[in-house]
Amino acid sequence: MEFILRLKDKFLLASDAERAGKMSQYMRQLHPFYGVMAPERKQILKSVIKELGLPTNSATIAKELFKEEERELHICAQELMQKANKQWTENSLDDFKFMLSTKSWWDTVDFIASNLVGPYLKKFPKKTAEVHSWADTDNIWLQRTTILYQLKYKSSTDSDWLAQVIHKHKHQKEFFIKKAIGWSLREYARSNPAWVRDFVQKTELQPLSKKEALKHF
């Protein structure tokens, strides 16, 4: 695909081996990097879109990018899907689930949860039950998504679901779940501090979750 080839060419030209090593080390050596920092990475994606136009098959390109090795390409994939939000259909949830479940780590999962799945459910609310069903899977990244997708909902947050999903996972020892619980509560506290304070007081949370939830009180 020309779009992907153009992206890869530009990343190769901008690559920095020393920085790439440090970035990979920071991410526990899970993925190789080109060594391109976020501002330049965003500019590269923007330049390719300017040259070739926003792809009409953005979902297909995004999934192909997730099959590549370099982490910058995975991040470009999710940012491309955000830019192509007018192309979303009900079936886009399958694309998001693929990206959440492929080469998963917090840097992609958190973006997809709050910037793709969250806005998607505003557009297709009848798909909410399907996303909520991910809370019962064995995949911690899908679980984390069900906790975090409302991060940007502010006062429109479904507090009943937030409470339900937290109660479902509050005894988990998994770091990324404990952190997600605290983060979701801390963010909702910006809009409804009384609810969060009361919930934390009445709920037996893991110490990390509680610490994160009350960080700004």
Side-chain angles (χ1 to χ4, degrees):
M1 295 182 183
E2 185 179 4
F3 192 93
I4 294 176
L5 292 174
R6 192 73 62 89
L7 264 182
K8 293 173 71 173
D9 285 345
K10 287 179 178 287
F11 275 116
L12 280 172
L13 286 172
S15 63
D16 183 315
E18 182 177 355
R19 188 185 297 134
K22 292 178 181 178
M23 293 169 77
S24 182
Q25 184 176 14
Y26 176 71
M27 289 295 182
R28 300 188 183 181
Q29 308 287 352
L30 291 173
H31 312 285
F33 283 78
Y34 286 109
V36 176
M37 301 298 285
E40 189 174 5
R41 184 197 72 235
K42 291 177 182 293
Q43 184 56 43
I44 287 174
L45 178 60
K46 183 178 179 180
S47 70
V48 175
I49 292 174
K50 184 176 182 180
E51 292 170 13
L52 301 179
L54 185 68
T56 56
N57 60 337
S58 293
T60 299
I61 289 175
K63 287 188 288 187
E64 289 301 314
L65 284 170
F66 258 87
K67 296 175 184 178
E68 298 286 342
E69 294 298 320
E70 290 80 8
R71 196 56 165 173
E72 289 94 340
L73 296 176
H74 310 156
I75 296 172
C76 281
Q78 59 193 27
E79 292 176 344
L80 176 63
M81 285 298 287
Q82 184 183 35
K83 292 177 183 295
N85 62 82
K86 292 183 180 179
Q87 298 175 19
W88 294 356
T89 67
E90 285 192 4
N91 293 331
S92 295
L93 187 60
D94 294 333
D95 302 323
F96 301 153
K97 187 177 183 181
F98 170 84
M99 292 191 290
L100 287 165
S101 306
T102 302
K103 298 175 181 175
S104 311
W105 198 239
W106 62 263
D107 57 332
T108 53
V109 169
D110 294 357
F111 182 97
I112 296 166
S114 60
N115 293 291
L116 300 183
V117 175
Y120 167 89
L121 290 180
K122 293 268 192 178
K123 191 173 183 178
F124 302 104
K126 70 179 185 179
K127 301 292 282 186
T128 301
E130 183 174 344
V131 171
H132 287 183
S133 72
W134 297 350
D136 297 316
T137 68
D138 294 328
N139 186 316
I140 66 162
W141 302 110
L142 294 179
Q143 294 172 8
R144 184 171 166 99
T145 297
T146 65
I147 299 167
L148 295 180
Y149 79 83
Q150 297 189 94
L151 276 182
K152 297 184 177 181
Y153 280 22
K154 299 181 180 180
S155 60
S156 63
T157 295
D158 180 350
S159 58
D160 288 340
W161 169 251
L162 184 60
Q164 182 180 337
V165 73
I166 290 174
H167 280 299
K168 186 183 293 287
H169 294 292
K170 65 185 179 182
H171 296 305
Q172 272 211 48
K173 300 299 184 181
E174 167 59 51
F175 171 82
F176 288 106
I177 298 302
K178 293 188 291 185
K179 191 81 169 180
I181 288 172
W183 186 14
S184 63
L185 288 169
R186 184 175 77 243
E187 199 61 30
Y188 187 40
R190 297 177 186 274
S191 303
N192 196 343
W195 187 95
V196 171
R197 187 184 295 109
D198 182 67
F199 180 83
V200 172
Q201 288 175 348
K202 294 178 179 178
T203 306
E204 183 184 351
L205 297 173
Q206 297 283 344
L208 176 60
S209 299
K210 185 174 182 178
K211 178 182 176 181
E212 289 292 322
L214 301 177
K215 203 166 188 177
H216 299 310
F217 278 94

